[in-house]
């Protein structure tokens, strides 16, 4: 069994002006950094203007953005997607990033940290589970969700009541770590064929 840390891509899905995603992602990143079994790469979609037209010949700008993101998605052993809920689903920027990458998701686990109003972004997570199943990814059951997220964090960007969310984050990382280890070993022994 490999003792190499799990390469975790922490994807910030929202690109909207005034977004709350970076606050939630910073908190989760700090939770993951407390462990020695994960090596985290933060992929903030707002920093990469992926083309919205999927084509074999993207523009030079689009090709550059894809060249910055695609190797990081491919190198990941596991993913955590930080997503808000927009209109009962997830952001178009996140769907675009998912659609640009196909085999990079295969046989890899995905966890979710969601945020929003009363639903805490859980409807976005349910929609994402369907999409990622089609891409042969394994979504883990554990999630972290912040209901009325803007009331859950203080001005310092830290949760006001950290006990519950920190416990949930540990459970999510434990599940993700198990799946990532098993699936990485499986891919090494026998390449995944869709």
């Amino acid at each position: 069994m490999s003792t190499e840390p799990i390469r975790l891509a922490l994807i910030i899905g929202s690109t909207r002006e005034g977004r709350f995603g970076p606050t939630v992602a910073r908190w989760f990143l700090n939770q993951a950094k407390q462990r020695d079994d994960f090596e985290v790469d933060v992929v903030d979609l707002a920093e990469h203007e992926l083309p919205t037209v999927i084509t074999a010949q993207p523009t030079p700008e689009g090709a550059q953005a894809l060249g910055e993101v695609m190797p990081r998605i491919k190198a990941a052993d596991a993913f955590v997607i930080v997503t808000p809920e927009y209109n009962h689903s997830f952001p178009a920027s996140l769907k675009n990033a998912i659609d640009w990458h196909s085999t990079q998701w295969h046989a890899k686990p995905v966890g979710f940290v969601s945020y929003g109003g009363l639903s805490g972004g859980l409807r976005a997570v349910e929609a994402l589970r369907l999409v990622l199943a089609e891409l042969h990814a394994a979504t883990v059951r554990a999630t972290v969700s912040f209901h009325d997220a803007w009331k859950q964090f203080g001005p310092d960007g830290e949760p006001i009541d950290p006990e519950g969310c920190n416990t949930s984050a540990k459970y999510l990382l434990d599940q993700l770590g198990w799946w990532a280890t098993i699936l990485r070993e499986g891919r090494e022994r026998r390449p995944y064929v869709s």
Side-chain angles (χ1 to χ4, degrees), residues 43-121:
V43 180
D44 187 345
L45 296 181
E47 295 175 358
H48 308 280
E49 287 194 42
L50 298 179
T52 56
V53 176
I54 296 178
T55 175
Q57 297 294 323
T59 65
E61 296 83 10
Q64 180 179 343
L66 288 165
E68 293 166 355
V69 174
M70 195 170 291
R72 295 163 72 187
I73 300 293
K74 183 178 181 178
D77 296 312
F79 305 92
V80 168
I81 295 175
V82 177
T83 185
E85 181 177 314
Y86 294 166
N87 303 316
H88 284 229
S89 193
F90 55 93
S93 53
L94 184 52
K95 180 66 162 76
N96 189 45
I98 291 168
D99 288 348
W100 268 109
H101 305 90
S102 177
T103 58
Q104 292 86 355
W105 299 99
H106 287 185
K108 295 180 183 179
V110 183
F112 304 100
V113 176
S114 64
Y115 60 96
L118 291 176
S119 74

Side-chain angles (χ1 to χ4, degrees), residues 7 87 137 167:
R7 294 179 306 269
N87 303 316
T167 300

Side-chain angles (χ1 to χ4, degrees), residues 2-157:
S2 173
T3 58
E4 180 183 334
I6 296 159
R7 294 179 306 269
L8 174 64
L10 178 60
I11 300 173
I12 304 174
S14 174
T15 60
R16 183 178 281 186
E17 185 179 353
R19 66 202 174 120
F20 195 68
T23 300
V24 177
R26 265 190 306 278
W27 162 79
F28 189 82
L29 176 62
N30 288 335
Q31 298 301 302
K33 281 184 171 180
Q34 294 176 31
R35 302 170 63 117
D36 58 7
D37 54 341
F38 288 97
E39 178 182 291
V40 185
D41 177 19
V42 178
V43 180
D44 187 345
L45 296 181
E47 295 175 358
H48 308 280
E49 287 194 42
L50 298 179
T52 56
V53 176
I54 296 178
T55 175
Q57 297 294 323
T59 65
E61 296 83 10
Q64 180 179 343
L66 288 165
E68 293 166 355
V69 174
M70 195 170 291
R72 295 163 72 187
I73 300 293
K74 183 178 181 178
D77 296 312
F79 305 92
V80 168
I81 295 175
V82 177
T83 185
E85 181 177 314
Y86 294 166
N87 303 316
H88 284 229
S89 193
F90 55 93
S93 53
L94 184 52
K95 180 66 162 76
N96 189 45
I98 291 168
D99 288 348
W100 268 109
H101 305 90
S102 177
T103 58
Q104 292 86 355
W105 299 99
H106 287 185
K108 295 180 183 179
V110 183
F112 304 100
V113 176
S114 64
Y115 60 96
L118 291 176
S119 74
L122 291 174
R123 292 177 290 212
V125 170
E126 291 308 309
L128 278 164
R129 288 185 191 282
L130 295 172
V131 171
L132 289 163
E134 185 64 21
L135 292 173
H136 303 255
T139 61
V140 300
R141 182 180 178 277
T143 61
V144 181
S145 65
F146 290 97
H147 305 267
D148 291 322
W150 307 269
K151 298 177 184 175
Q152 303 301 321
F153 287 78
D156 60 355

